[in-house]
Amino acid sequence: MPVRFLTLHSVVRCLMVVLTVMVTNIVEPVDGKVNISGQQKQETEFRLKQLNKQALNSIEMTPSSYPHEVLAEENNAPAPSNDEEQPENIVHPWQLVGECPENTIPIKRITKEDLLRIDDIKNYGKKLNISQPHQFYQPTDTSVDNGHEYAITYVNGGPYRGTKAQINVWKPRIEAGESSISQIWIFGGKFGPGLNTIEAGSHVNPTLYGDDNPHSNCIFASSYYYYYLRCYNLICSGFVQINKRLTPGYLLTPITTYNGPQFKFTVQIWKDPKTGNWWLQLNDQELIGYWPKELFTNLADEGASTIEWEGEVVNTKKDGQHTTTEMGSGHFPSEGFGKASSFEVIKIIDMNNGIIEPVGVQTLVSRPTCYDIKTGYDKLYEVFFYYGGPGRNPECL
């Protein structure tokens, strides 16, 4: 979502959805005119009609049940440190002139300016295809290059009904045409054409959002479409939004500062045991929406086979050099609290809907000299890890 302040005439309108939902992207429009060729104009108009879809019928407004702490957090976890805080209440610029009434959600039509920020209009909002799933990496193997680099903590074997974690909010520096992600990644099935996935977390992508700030993101990939159709937020049909305040793609604020105040947000994803839908909740109170069971094959009938908590960057190797796009805070995990980015209070949700600590946690790093990871455990942050790095440096070229 661009962070430009909006005038009254460009405020996102609230549309009644009474048991319907609009599955279109929600980002503030960018004012201004753009000169484009006749062919570009034709392609843009066609793509806008594809992206700005009509309402769908029959949605759920709440899950049938919520996961529960096997050992209640309020009785067993210490109070949060004064140095680390949950984000403040988010206020979008359009909310300064009003709110959406009950049973409505904010709708933003994708604009020409949104599409013209990218080279290929057809790929607007898509997570670009990769040549090989990252799980084939070995930590010391730099021979495989798919344009993405990772620092991952994961568990596999399953089945798992979901996961929950607190993600430190940073604003990594990004090279043109690249992005940096800190997210949860849920997998169903084996790596290959039948893979199902769900992703959610923090995303810095100037091409997509029109600014260099961190935004919330969510992605799903179903069956063989894993390699062909993986779209951010609500750009492709799939995710059903029910929240009238927050939406996938919203601006994450405030931002953590190096050796200063630390801010985080909580992401929880779980499968409803009754309906099979996968729900997304932020900060333990904001129910954002769900991915319907019908989107999936493996994730429809079973739990997740693998869960990852990760940092990821796109490395285009401009001029043949490694990117300087930062992961997390842009500092290595060895610097520790307040300086390196982190995931904290990492949990899995078992098949009994219990929220428990993960067992058998492993790590995977594509290039440790560029971005790295360090896991740990303590009474306050429970299972946690520091991760990230600056990218290109004397040891990473």
Side-chain angles (χ1 to χ4, degrees), residues 96-247:
L96 298 176
V97 295
E99 290 188 354
C100 291
E102 290 300 319
N103 299 320
T104 71
I105 58 172
I107 300 298
K108 157 59 179 67
R109 296 300 184 182
I110 297 167
T111 67
K112 291 179 182 179
E113 288 79 8
D114 293 329
L115 296 184
L116 293 173
R117 283 197 299 270
I118 66 172
D119 295 329
D120 185 354
I121 290 174
K122 294 179 181 178
N123 284 329
Y124 174 76
K126 294 182 180 180
K127 187 172 184 181
L128 298 180
N129 301 336
I130 59 176
S131 59
Q132 187 172 4
H134 58 260
Q135 286 288 55
F136 292 120
Y137 273 131
Q138 295 296 322
T140 58
D141 180 11
T142 59
S143 62
V144 178
D145 183 4
N146 63 8
H148 292 240
E149 295 198 19
Y150 307 89
I152 299 169
T153 296
Y154 69 98
V155 292
N156 59 23
Y160 310 106
R161 187 160 279 163
T163 182
K164 178 179 182 180
Q166 296 175 356
I167 304 176
N168 209 194
V169 181
W170 291 85
K171 182 180 176 179
R173 192 179 67 83
I174 310 296
E175 283 195 17
E178 299 183 343
S179 63
S180 184
I181 305 176
S182 301
Q183 67 177 10
I184 291 170
W185 204 336
I186 291 176
F187 297 83
K190 297 180 179 179
F191 285 87
L195 185 65
N196 294 179
T197 67
I198 291 172
E199 304 169 50
S202 172
H203 188 204
V204 180
N205 186 331
T207 301
L208 178 62
Y209 300 108
D211 62 51
D212 60 356
N213 292 302
H215 293 255
S216 69
N217 77 290
C218 72
I219 308 172
F220 84 94
S222 177
S223 193
Y224 62 88
Y225 291 110
Y226 180 76
Y227 294 100
Y228 307 104
L229 180 59
R230 294 188 294 157
C231 291
Y232 291 109
N233 305 326
L234 305 178
I235 294 172
C236 294
S237 299
F239 186 82
V240 178
Q241 181 190 337
I242 67 165
N243 194 295
K244 73 171 187 175
R245 292 185 59 253
L246 301 181
T247 178

Side-chain angles (χ1 to χ4, degrees), residues 260-297:
Q262 303 291 299
F263 297 98
K264 58 190 177 183
F265 72 114
T266 300
V267 178
Q268 179 170 296
I269 305 171
W270 81 98
K271 183 178 182 179
D272 189 312
K274 183 177 180 180
T275 65
N277 298 331
W278 287 82
W279 285 86
L280 173 64
Q281 185 177 48
L282 301 181
N283 294 334
D284 292 322
Q285 58 186 358
E286 295 284 358
L287 201 60
I288 306 301
Y290 63 92
W291 294 270
K293 171 184 177 180
E294 291 74 20
L295 295 174
F296 304 108
T297 52

Side-chain angles (χ1 to χ4, degrees), residues 2-69:
V3 293
R4 299 169 175 82
F5 287 98
L6 307 183
T7 58
L8 285 174
H9 75 274
S10 61
V11 170
V12 181
R13 292 178 296 175
C14 297
L15 304 180
M16 292 300 298
V17 294
V18 187
L19 295 181
T20 63
V21 64
M22 295 294 292
V23 286
T24 51
N25 193 31
I26 305 176
V27 290
E28 285 80 15
V30 179
D31 292 329
K33 296 182 179 180
V34 177
N35 295 321
I36 58 176
S37 67
Q39 182 178 354
Q40 275 185 305
K41 183 176 180 181
Q42 204 171 33
E43 291 177 353
T44 301
E45 294 294 342
F46 177 74
R47 186 67 175 134
L48 285 172
K49 289 180 181 178
Q50 288 182 313
L51 293 169
N52 292 322
K53 298 170 281 292
Q54 298 300 312
L56 297 180
N57 295 323
S58 182
I59 68 169
E60 290 184 51
M61 296 307 292
T62 59
S64 66
S65 63
Y66 289 81
H68 57 274
E69 292 285 346

